[in-house]
Structure formats: structure tokens, C-alpha cells
């Protein structure tokens, strides 16, 4: 048995699953200290379905805690950034494009040292131990407890980041070190930004992970704890302590994966219609397609592995206007829906009202909208269907029709069929899709580097890259026979010799559940 | 008239330069940050000089970057490489530059001369040698009208400089310089096509920095005011050397195919019309080269083929083309300077091995 828990800003949801079946599902309020909310959720689960804590093999938790801490600039540790790249890169030092407020919140200090690699693995400059030792003295003097290390082309070769980390920890054994090569992809500033953010969250990560472990222990559960990552795979608690930033987008990822699991389709578009917006993402073989562009988080450019989600200003509370052309949103009555919508006796025409008037759902008092102009109702619903349909068109990557899975309270706005996608899937229990997404998560391994591909060698290079990804997944705890390659992306690079090609491979497999845990 | 470029102009300029880059020219983010940072750190301001204000004997040394845009996002420059290249060329020529100038319009190469200007105090001439973006160094109006690229100086981040002189052979210059760029890690900062003020007035495409700035501003304000970006673009171009703007197609990207041939990103994209069943096929090599609608040619290099996001008017680069994007494809006439037989021999369709004859966009598509 597994337990999946989703700690959102408002709700903490939990599910108890055995294989593919959901044995119990609960929704409770999130608490400021997180752990008491989890304790409540575990107790509720047990009340719904008595289980032996020792029969639980694994607990998977998805949390928005860390991204919220960044957005609120709250509880961030004093952090230093050390970049290895001199004499190159001096023009744009670390944190160059950050909002002032966040640099202040982490008391950010930046150090530039020699080092770094060229795209083909040559050294830009040798690492200088004396420079790193001087940085160590500075960190000590300023009482900095967490440091981010980045190096040019470290996705190609991470040796300098490793060596700098060894030198720093040799001097400052207690310092927390975050390496950019472990976190991001190509794009020095974006990867470095993600690493600095990670470093600033390290102390919070220790507190949270310890708290979560204690909650489980308190409930008598001795199974290993995992946290969900942005890409829908799991990390163990040791990794979570070191790389909290990898949880940033786990919320939407878990929600999409949970929805797909519930509806039984592996490749689909997931439309999550809330009160104000609709978020549309694509799952390929059960995993969200990731954004290829930079993502700004709290005003900082990063290249996190975030799901590619398109947001439209259409939700259950969207205002409908009918003078001339009928418009839907983007403004919404939001959480005041229960006061302002016509079906609740309010005075504002909302998307929910037209859905009720068309008989798609019974909400509030349908009698209050039965006098609505039929052509207005039809025009508004047509417009919603068209805009969502266009967004699905835009987000899919091939002309092949993609099944649509609709979740969220506002999904009553959607018609039964959209475009050429066939019938819209509407899974039950979507309210706890996030927690289910956490519970079904797998273990992943990824390779993302520039490879020289000599003529005739393409297949051999690809095979090597795939094997490396598979090995990484197994090393992270995947069951060997279950690992499969789910994504291969080749981008030939312009203006470079030897057909330099950036190859990205992702492999995932089932979590190796430890039998001895009973 | 000369004027001062401010930090807040840079985002608009980058957007407009990306449009004139006609699908290529690189990602403007790092280039823009470099200029912003140089303006913040130093006392420098950037003076933009109309070519008409140049004295005939003034020395103008253009600066630029060549190489792989994908390297630039990882190995950020030290910041003074292009200045070092400029100084090396000055030393070689035994003359000081009175101004620098772009060789190209594009996300990166419109910015490098501004970086040099911010760091040295030299003014930037409001002109360039491509009037758009092209993939190779010899594809310049400068070279078409008799200004050699040689001598060319390259600056690297270790303070090293290399001067290459191939006489009148600009193709060999390009080949040697690219070899050194690879030794330097895939990107090189260069100073080349040193020329007199008289040569600038004779061979450069004038006022393209200002045009980029005006285009960027027009697209932004059109979006802010919910106006049609294409109409705003046509208004901006009217009365300039690029005054014929034609909408070639409105539709959705339904296919993108890319491959690398001899170090260049070649490929094609297909768009399907929003209404009806028309199709536009776009052939590109870093930049957009030919647009055909239902098999009929509608716009050919060196005329500009610009792909804009349909709603926002934001230019889409060839690297950024994705299935599902909704786009407007616009053809824009290039200045006469770029359509002469001599110019077409250097950067017309045959220079890209295309079996197509150049025809002006205004003859191919009526208003």
C-alpha cells in the first residue's frame, strides 16, 4: 500500500492506494506548520479505512511549500553564489536580473572565480584553489550557511563544481552546497538562478523534511518518504533536503498525472477549469510535456523543468458580457461566486450561470436563470468551447487528435465533445487528483548534454544516452526491469562543428518497494 | 539627428531588431542584459548618430558577434571582447575609430555595438550592412559595394586578439574567422569592415537602429491598446526604405522540420490558413528565405519574411517556431540597395542554393 499526500496552499489531500485502486481519499485544511495538517490527513485516512501502518510501503508527498516561501520571500537563508567561469562571464554577475527585494531577502552575495568549460569539454580556465579558499573565508566572515556553485557548461562537465564544493566543505564543514549541474539545464543565468533559489531554501527544506518524517513516525509508518518533483517523478528525502527547488511545479504536474490516471488515458490534454482560469497541459505517456521556454518564478528567470501549461482567463466565475459580441472573462467574481452569480441570487452573469441555464449542471437555483436569453447562453458556451478548443490545438504538438480530460469545479462549462478530440473524459474523484498523482509517481533518470555526433554514429550516441538515463533511474531507486525511456529530444546546434547535438533523454521506472518493510 | 539611447528603449529595440532579423539574429535576452549592465555600471551613455552626420573622412569600425547563439546563453562574454577587437583593428590600421556600427539587424548583433558604445563612449552609427539578418559575414551591402571585410580583428576573453587579412576575399575571411570562433569556444567578438564616413553613406543600409526601435515600440503599444499589430507595423514602415508591407498569410503552424547542414539550421515550416484550406510553406536557414502559398512564391530573400504571433505581434524566430502557433506572416520590401544584381549575387536566393529567382514582394502580392 502507498499513501499519496498533496499539501497545497489551502488544502491537504491524502489518498491510500493499493496497486491501481484508491482505498481511501480525504481533504483537510493545510496548516501553517504543515505537520499538523498531515497528522490530521493521516488520521482521517485511517478513520475512513483502517490500515496497518506497517503495511504501507511508501509515502509520497507533493508540496507547494517551497515555491510559496520564495514568492513570499519568507524564511529564506542568507546565500552566496559562486560562479566558475572567469575570465568569461564577468559582464553579467550572478543575480544580475533579480528583483532587488529577493536579493535582499537572501542577503545575496556573488563571487566570480576562474574555471568553466567550453561546449566541447575544453577548460575555459583552470580552477584556482586559492580563489575558492578566499571565498570560504568570506563566507565564514559573513556567516553564510548556504552556497550555490555554478560553472560554465557544467551540464557537459561538472568536475569544477564538484572540486569547488570539496574545497569549500573542507573549510566549512557545516555549509550547505547546491550544484547547478544537479539542478538545471543549458542556459547559465537561468540554471544559476535556480541553484541560488535552491540554496536559499536548504534550511527550510531540512525543517520541512524533518517535520514530515516525524509526522509519519508519529503515525507508526516506517516506510520510506518521497517527495514529488516537477516532472512527476520522485525524490527521496536525502535528495529533497538538498534540492527542494525540484518540488516547485509538482502541484500542476501531480494534478495532471492524477487526472490522466483516473481517466485511464496516458497521452491526453488535461483541462483544469477553476473559478478564474483554465489551465491546459499535455501528458505524453503519462508525463507532462515540459515547457521549452524560460519560466519566471517570482520575477526570476529560471529553466526549471516545469510542465508546459497554458492559462486562459476562463473559469466558473468568469463574467459574461453580451452587448454586441458576447465575451467571457478574463475578469471573474472568483471566490464570491456563491454571492454574486445569478444562480445564487446575485446580480452578475457568470459562466456558471450560462452552464446551468443550458442544463449542463444543477447549481444553486436553476430557476433564477431560466429566463436568460437562449442565444446569449449559446453564444457564451460556444465561445468557451472555441477558446478552450483553440488552446488545446495550440498546445498539442502534432495533428493527431488528443483525448481531452476535464477536471476542476468549472469543468461543467465544457461541452461533451471538443473539436476532433472525441468525447471529453470527466473522471470521478478529480478533487484528490493531486494526491493520486503523488501516489502513482515513478522514479526517473535524465541526461541532457551536448554530444558530438559523427556521421553514421547517431544511433550509437543515442543508445549511449538512453542507457545512461536508464542507469541513472536505477541508481535513484527504480526497479531495473521496469525502466523505460519516455522522452528523447535531439536538437542540432547551429554554427557548431562536428554536428554538435544537444540530446535530452528521460527514463522512468517503478519505485523499487522494499519488501522487507512488510 | 543624433540622440541618446536609454535603458528603457532597449526592450523595444530588441523586439524591433528581432523582427528585422527575419527569423534569425539570435535571442536578444543576453545581448540586452549586457547593454543594460554596461549602462548601469559605467558613466557611459549611448549616442546614436545619423549616417548623414558623419564626416566623409571619419573612421567607422563596425563590431559584432559571430558564432553559435546557443553557446552565448551558457558562456556569457567577459564583456570587453568586442572592445578589444575594435582596439586591435585600430592598432592594425593605425587609426582611431570615430564611431562603431552594427553589421546586421538582429537580437544579438544590434546590441553588440551598443555594448561597445556604452563601454567606450564612441557613438553608434544608425545603419548596418545587412538591413536584416544573414548567416555569413560576406553577406553585407558593404562588401557588395566594394568595402572589404578585411582586415578583421577577433577578441577573446583572455584578452587575446587575432587579426585576419584576406584582401578582397570575403568568403575566405568568413571561413578563417569561423575556425577561430570555434577555437574560442564557438563564439567570437569581431571588428571588421572598417570604412570611411563616405563609404558608410554609400554602402550601408541607413537608419535601421532607429527603425528597429520604432517597430518595437509600435508592436508593444499596439498590443497594449489592443490594436492590430500588422497595421501598426505597416504604419511604422510607411515612408521608410522598407515601405511595402504585405500580409502573406494568416494561419496556424502545422509542421516544422529542422536539420543541421554544414553547421546551419535549415528547415521548413508549414502553416494552414485559419479560413479555407490554403497552406504557406516557409523555407529557412537560420533566417526565413522563401515563402510559398499553395506552391506559388510570395516572398523571396533578401526581402523580409517575418513571422509574428497573431495576437501579440511578437516576432517568432525560426528556432521558436512550434506546432500550433497562430501566426501572421508578413513580407516586407528591402531597400533598393539590397535588390541590385550585385547584391542579389551575394545574398539573393542563389547564394542559398535555392532554385528560385528573386522577385520583389510588391510584385508578387498586391495590397
Amino acid at each position: 500500500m502507498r499513501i499519496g499526500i498533496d499539501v497545497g496552499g489551502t488544502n491537504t489531500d491524502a489518498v491510500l492506494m493499493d496497486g491501481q485502486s484508491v482505498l481511501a481519499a480525504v481533504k483537510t485544511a493545510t496548516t501553517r506548520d504543515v505537520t499538523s495538517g498531515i497528522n490530521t490527513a493521516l488520521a482521517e485516512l485511517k478513520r475512513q479505512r483502517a490500515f496497518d501502518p506497517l503495511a504501507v510501503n511508501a509515502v509520497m508527498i507533493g508540496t507547494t511549500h517551497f515555491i510559496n516561501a520564495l514568492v513570499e520571500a519568507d524564511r529564506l537563508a542568507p546565500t552566496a553564489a559562486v560562479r566558475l567561469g572567469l575570465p568569461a562571464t564577468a559582464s553579467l554577475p550572478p543575480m544580475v536580473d533579480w528583483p532587488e527585494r529577493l536579493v535582499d531577502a537572501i542577503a545575496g552575495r556573488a563571487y566570480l572565480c576562474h574555471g568553466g568549460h567550453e561546449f566541447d569539454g575544453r577548460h575555459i580556465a583552470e580552477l584556482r584553489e586559492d580563489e575558492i579558499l578566499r571565498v570560504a573565508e568570506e563566507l565564514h566572515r559573513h556567516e553564510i550557511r548556504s552556497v550555490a556553485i555554478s560553472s560554465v557548461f557544467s551540464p557537459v562537465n561538472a568536475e569544477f563544481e564538484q572540486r569547488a564544493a570539496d574545497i569549500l566543505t573542507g573549510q566549512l564543514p557545516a555549509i550547505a552546497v547546491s550544484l547547478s549541474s544537479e539542478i538545471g539545464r543549458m542556459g547559465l543565468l537561468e540554471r544559476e538562478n535556480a541553484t541560488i533559489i535552491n540554496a536559499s531554501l536548504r534550511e527550510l527544506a531540512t525543517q520541512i523534511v524533518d517535520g514530515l518524517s516525524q509526522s509519519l513516525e508519529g503515525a507508526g509508518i516506517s516506510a520510506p518518504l518521497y517527495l514529488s518533483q516537477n516532472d512527476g517523478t520522485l525524490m527521496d528525502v536525502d535528495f529533497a533536503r538538498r534540492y527542494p527547488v525540484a518540488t516547485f511545479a509538482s502541484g500542476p504536474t501531480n494534478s495532471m498525472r492524477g487526472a490522466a490516471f483516473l481517466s485511464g488515458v496516458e497521452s491526453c490534454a488535461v483541462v483544469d477549469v477553476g473559478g478564474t482560469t483554465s489551465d491546459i497541459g499535455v501528458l505524453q505517456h503519462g508525463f507532462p510535456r515540459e515547457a521549452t521556454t524560460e519560466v519566471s518564478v517570482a520575477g526570476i528567470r529560471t529553466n526549471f523543468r516545469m510542465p508546459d501549461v497554458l492559462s486562459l482567463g476562463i473559469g466558473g466565475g468568469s463574467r459574461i458580457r453580451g452587448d454586441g459580441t458576447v465575451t467571457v472573462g478574463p475578469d471573474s467574481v472568483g471566490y464570491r461566486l456563491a454571492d454574486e452569480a445569478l444562480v445564487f441570487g446575485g446580480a452578475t452573469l457568470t459562466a456558471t450561470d450560462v452552464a446551468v441555464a443550458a442544463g449542463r449542471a444543477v447549481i444553486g437555483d436553476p430557476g433564477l436563470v431560466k429566463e436568460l436569453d437562449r442565444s446569449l447562453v449559446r453564444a457564451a458556451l460556444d465561445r468557451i468551447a472555441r477558446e478552450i478548443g483553440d488552446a488545446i490545438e495550440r498546445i498539442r504538438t502534432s495533428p493527431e487528435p488528443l483525448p481531452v480530460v476535464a477536471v476542476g469545479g468549472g469543468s461543467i462549462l465544457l461541452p461533451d465533445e471538443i473539436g476532433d478530440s472525441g468525447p471529453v473524459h470527466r473522471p470521478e474523484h478529480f478533487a484528490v487528483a493531486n494526491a493520486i498523482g503523488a501516489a502513482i509517481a515513478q522514479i526517473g533518470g535524465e541526461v541532457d548534454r551536448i554530444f558530438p555526433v559523427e556521421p553514421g554514429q547517431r544511433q550509437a550516441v543515442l543508445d549511449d544516452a538512453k542507457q545512461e538515463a536508464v542507469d541513472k533511474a536505477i541508481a535513484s531507486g527504480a526497479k531495473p526491469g521496469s525502466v523505460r525511456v519516455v522522452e528523447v529530444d535531439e536538437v542540432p546546434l547551429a554554427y557548431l562543428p562536428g554536428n554538435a547535438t544537444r540530446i535530452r533523454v528521460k527514463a522512468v521506472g517503478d519505485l523499487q518497494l522494499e519488501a522487507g518493510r512488510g | 539627428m543624433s540622440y541618446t539611447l536609454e535603458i528603457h528603449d532597449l526592450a523595444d529595440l530588441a523586439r524591433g531588431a528581432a523582427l528585422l532579423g527575419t527569423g534569425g539574429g539570435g535571442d536578444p535576452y543576453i545581448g540586452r542584459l549586457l547593454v543594460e549592465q554596461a549602462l548601469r555600471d559605467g558613466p557611459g551613455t549611448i549616442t546614436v548618430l545619423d549616417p548623414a552626420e558623419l564626416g566623409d573622412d571619419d573612421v567607422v569600425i563596425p563590431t559584432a558577434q559571430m558564432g553559435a547563439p546557443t553557446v552565448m546563453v551558457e558562456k556569457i562574454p567577459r564583456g570587453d571582447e568586442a572592445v578589444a577587437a575594435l582596439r586591435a583593428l585600430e592598432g592594425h590600421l593605425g587609426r582611431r575609430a570615430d564611431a562603431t556600427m552594427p553589421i546586421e539587424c538582429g537580437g544579438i548583433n544590434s546590441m553588440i555595438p551598443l555594448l561597445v558604445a556604452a563601454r567606450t563612449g564612441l557613438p553608434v552609427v544608425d545603419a548596418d550592412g545587412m538591413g536584416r539578418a544573414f548567416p555569413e559575414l560576406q553577406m553585407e551591402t558593404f562588401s557588395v559595394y566594394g568595402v572589404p571585410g578585411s582586415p578583421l580583428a577577433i577578441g577573446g576573453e583572455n584578452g587575446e586578439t587575432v587579426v585576419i587579412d584576406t584582401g578582397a576575399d570575403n568568403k575566405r575571411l568568413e571561413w578563417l574567422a569561423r575556425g577561430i570562433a570555434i577555437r574560442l569556444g564557438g563564439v567570437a567578438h569581431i571588428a571588421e569592415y572598417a570604412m570611411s564616413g563616405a563609404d558608410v553613406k554609400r554602402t550601408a543600409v541607413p537608419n535601421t537602429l532607429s527603425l528597429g526601435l520604432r517597430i518595437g515600440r509600435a508592436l508593444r503599444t499596439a498590443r497594449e491598446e489592443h490594436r492590430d499589430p500588422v497595421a501598426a507595423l505597416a504604419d511604422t514602415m510607411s515612408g521608410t526604405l522598407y515601405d511595402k508591407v504585405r500580409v502573406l498569410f494568416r494561419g496556424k503552424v502545422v509542421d516544422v522540420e529542422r536539420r543541421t547542414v554544414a553547421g546551419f539550421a535549415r528547415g521548413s515550416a508549414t502553416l494552414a490558413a485559419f479560413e479555407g484550406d490554403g497552406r504557406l510553406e516557409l523555407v529557412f536557414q537560420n533566417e526565413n528565405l522563401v515563402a510559398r502559398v499553395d506552391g506559388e512564391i510570395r516572398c523571396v530573400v533578401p526581402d523580409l519574411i517575418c513571422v509574428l504571433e497573431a495576437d501579440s505581434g511578437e516576432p517568432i524566430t525560426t528556432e521558436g517556431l512550434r506546432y500550433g502557433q497562430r501566426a501572421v506572416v508578413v513580407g516586407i520590401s528591402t531597400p533598393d540597395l539590397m535588390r541590385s544584381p550585385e547584391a542579389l549575387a551575394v545574398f539573393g536566393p542563389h547564394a542559398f542554393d535555392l532554385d528560385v529567382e528573386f522577385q520583389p514582394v510588391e510584385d508578387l502580392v498586391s495590397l
Side-chain angles (χ1 to χ4, degrees), chain A residues 91 122 153 191 393 396 492 495, chain B residues 74 77 252 260 263 286 323:
Chain A
S91 55
R122 284 176 291 146
F153 277 110
R191 183 174 73 247
E393 271 280 285
R396 72 192 196 186
Y495 295 114
Chain B
E74 182 65 31
K252 188 185 116 155
T260 301
N286 299 350
Y323 177 91

Side-chain angles (χ1 to χ4, degrees), chain B:
Chain B
M1 275 304 294
S2 70
Y3 59 94
T4 305
L5 205 60
E6 309 286 345
I7 283 187
H8 66 255
D9 292 327
L10 294 172
D12 285 337
L13 174 56
R15 180 179 305 109
L19 181 125
L20 291 172
T22 180
D27 180 334
Y29 177 67
I30 297 275
R32 178 167 63 81
L33 272 193
L34 286 171
V35 181
E36 282 179 9
Q37 191 68 3
L39 285 176
R40 266 192 225 109
D41 282 355
T45 53
I46 298 171
T47 304
V48 180
L49 206 60
D50 192 288
E53 293 174 90
L54 285 170
D56 282 352
D57 296 328
D58 284 352
V59 176
V60 177
I61 301 186
T63 45
Q65 190 208 73
M66 66 181 294
T70 34
V71 167
M72 172 98 148
V73 300
E74 182 65 31
K75 187 187 164 191
I76 295 166
R78 168 162 132 177
D80 56 5
E81 292 92 334
V83 176
L86 177 102
R87 296 298 181 218
L89 200 56
E90 285 179 336
H92 183 79
L93 296 168
R95 299 199 55 183
R96 301 285 286 185
D98 298 300
T100 187
M101 181 168 72
I103 61 161
E104 174 180 34
C105 299
I108 292 174
N109 271 339
S110 291
M111 293 291 163
I112 297 294
L114 305 183
L115 172 65
V116 170
R119 283 180 167 255
T120 59
L122 286 176
V124 183
V125 181
D126 186 3
D128 76 284
M130 292 185 177
R132 47 169 286 159
F134 282 123
E136 296 183 35
L137 296 182
Q138 78 277 4
M139 296 176 163
E140 295 278 342
T141 53
F142 309 146
S143 79
V144 169
Y145 297 105
V147 177
S150 290
L152 172 148
I154 298 179
E157 71 269 5
N158 282 293
E160 67 272 54
T161 53
V162 182
V163 176
I164 307 174
D165 192 340
T166 58
D169 191 342
N170 284 336
K171 277 206 165 182
R172 190 157 176 84
L173 178 72
E174 146 76 32
W175 183 75
L176 288 171
R178 205 159 289 280
I180 292 168
I182 287 160
R183 286 277 189 275
L184 287 173
V187 166
H189 292 78
I190 56 176
E192 55 164 356
Y193 286 106
M195 67 183 92
S196 67
D199 278 339
V200 172
K201 287 181 240 180
R202 188 173 60 81
T203 69
V205 185
N207 305 114
T208 46
L209 269 179
S210 299
L211 183 62
L213 183 57
R214 293 218 310 278
I215 292 170
R217 242 181 231 153
L219 293 177
R220 174 173 54 79
T221 48
R223 181 168 56 218
E224 284 166 3
E225 294 163 11
H226 304 288
R227 287 185 289 113
D228 176 19
V230 177
L233 178 65
D235 280 351
T236 309
M237 297 315 232
S238 133
T240 72
L241 295 173
Y242 299 78
D243 63 348
K244 292 164 188 93
V245 176
R246 298 285 186 275
V247 174
L248 306 180
F249 203 73
R250 291 177 190 268
K252 188 185 116 155
V253 179
V254 292
D255 190 39
V256 183
E257 190 231 315
R258 297 185 175 86
R259 62 199 178 278
T260 301
V261 180
F264 294 111
R266 289 180 192 239
S268 62
T270 309
L271 281 79
F274 290 140
E275 276 156 41
D277 47 11
R279 297 210 154 211
L280 173 133
E281 194 212 1
L282 200 59
V283 175
F284 53 81
Q285 173 180 323
N286 299 350
E287 287 81 31
N288 298 317
L289 297 178
V290 184
R292 288 184 180 85
V293 175
D294 298 327
E296 306 232 344
I297 291 181
R298 292 297 159 85
C299 196
V300 186
V301 64
D303 279 353
L304 273 53
I305 303 168
C306 308
V307 183
L308 305 180
E309 212 176 56
D311 301 331
S312 66
E314 203 63 28
I316 303 174
T317 61
T318 54
E319 285 178 345
L321 281 171
R322 299 270 181 281
Y323 177 91
Q325 277 164 337
R326 292 162 169 265
V328 185
V329 184
V330 177
I332 302 175
S333 61
T334 35
D336 293 341
L337 189 69
M338 299 173 62
R339 290 170 157 189
S340 68
E342 310 91 287
L344 294 176
V346 177
F347 44 64
H350 295 298
F352 297 92
D353 294 330
L354 293 167
D355 190 20
V356 173
E357 296 307 318
F358 173 76
Q359 284 173 274
V361 64
E362 63 270 26
D363 295 351
L364 292 167
V365 184
S366 52
L367 259 183

Side-chain angles (χ1 to χ4, degrees), chain A residues 117-122 124 152-153 156 186 450-452 493 495-498 500, chain B residues 68 70-71 74-75 181-187:
Chain A
H117 288 75
E118 305 284 7
F119 72 92
D120 55 4
R122 284 176 291 146
I124 293 173
V152 176
F153 277 110
V156 174
M186 292 298 187
I450 294 175
F451 291 77
L493 304 181
Y495 295 114
L496 287 181
Chain B
T70 34
V71 167
E74 182 65 31
K75 187 187 164 191
I182 287 160
R183 286 277 189 275
L184 287 173
V187 166

Side-chain angles (χ1 to χ4, degrees), chain A residues 51-342:
Chain A
F51 63 90
D52 174 6
L54 291 176
V56 175
N57 300 105
V59 177
M60 291 83 160
I61 299 184
T63 175
T64 54
H65 221 79
F66 299 111
I67 192 166
N68 291 345
L70 177 72
V71 171
E72 292 159 15
D74 183 29
R75 293 182 286 171
L76 305 176
T79 299
V82 178
R83 184 198 293 163
L84 313 172
L86 287 181
T89 82
S91 55
L92 299 176
M95 295 175 275
V96 62
D97 203 21
W98 280 41
E100 203 65 44
R101 177 181 83 95
L102 282 168
V103 178
D104 292 346
I106 66 166
R109 310 186 78 85
Y111 301 95
L112 288 165
C113 299
H114 283 80
H117 288 75
E118 305 284 7
F119 72 92
D120 55 4
R122 284 176 291 146
H123 295 177
I124 293 173
E126 297 308 315
L127 190 74
R128 297 192 188 163
E129 189 168 353
D130 58 317
E131 286 181 350
I132 309 295
L133 289 172
R134 263 205 305 283
V135 170
E137 278 168 30
E138 282 268 309
L139 300 186
H140 180 69
R141 201 152 54 83
H142 294 289
E143 296 177 13
I144 288 168
R145 300 181 297 268
S146 191
V147 60
I149 303 177
S150 57
S151 182
V152 176
F153 277 110
S154 65
V156 174
N157 191 329
E159 60 174 332
F160 286 152
E161 289 187 2
Q162 287 289 355
R163 270 176 51 204
D166 290 346
I167 298 168
L168 285 179
T169 46
Q171 299 297 306
L172 309 165
I175 199 151
V177 179
S178 304
L179 302 184
S180 85
S181 50
E182 298 278 352
I183 289 181
R185 298 175 171 168
M186 292 298 187
L188 177 66
L189 289 182
E190 292 82 5
R191 183 174 73 247
E192 180 178 81
N193 287 345
T195 313
I196 299 168
I197 292 169
N198 188 72
S200 73
L201 292 167
R202 289 284 292 271
E203 295 186 350
L204 183 63
T206 300
Q207 287 167 27
I208 299 274
V209 171
D210 287 350
L212 295 175
S213 303
Q214 279 161 18
S215 290
L216 296 189
E217 246 168 67
I221 298 170
S222 61
L225 168 65
Y226 296 91
L227 268 75
S228 328
Q229 306 192 69
N230 301 341
D231 66 354
T233 61
L234 295 169
M235 55 182 168
D236 63 24
V237 285
D238 283 340
F239 192 85
R241 273 179 227 274
R242 288 182 289 128
Y243 294 104
V245 86
T247 65
F248 265 31
S250 61
T253 302
N254 282 344
S255 146
M256 283 165 63
R257 282 176 46 77
F261 172 83
L262 288 169
S263 54
V265 284
E266 279 227 307
S267 295
C268 60
V270 178
V271 185
D272 186 346
V273 190
T276 305
T277 59
S278 296
D279 293 332
I280 299 157
V282 170
L283 282 182
Q284 291 166 326
H285 310 295
F287 285 89
R289 192 179 73 225
E290 291 169 9
T292 48
T293 49
E294 290 72 20
V295 186
S296 276
V297 181
I300 300 173
R301 244 168 98 109
T302 67
N303 56 5
F304 291 130
R305 296 170 245 187
M306 295 275 207
D308 196 1
V309 173
L310 196 69
S311 277
L312 294 183
I314 295 180
S318 294
R319 294 182 67 137
I320 308 276
R321 292 184 179 84
D323 355 308
T325 36
V326 174
T327 61
V328 182
D331 53 335
S332 165
V333 298
Y335 67 90
R336 301 183 312 274
L337 183 74
D339 296 322
E340 299 198 3
L342 301 183

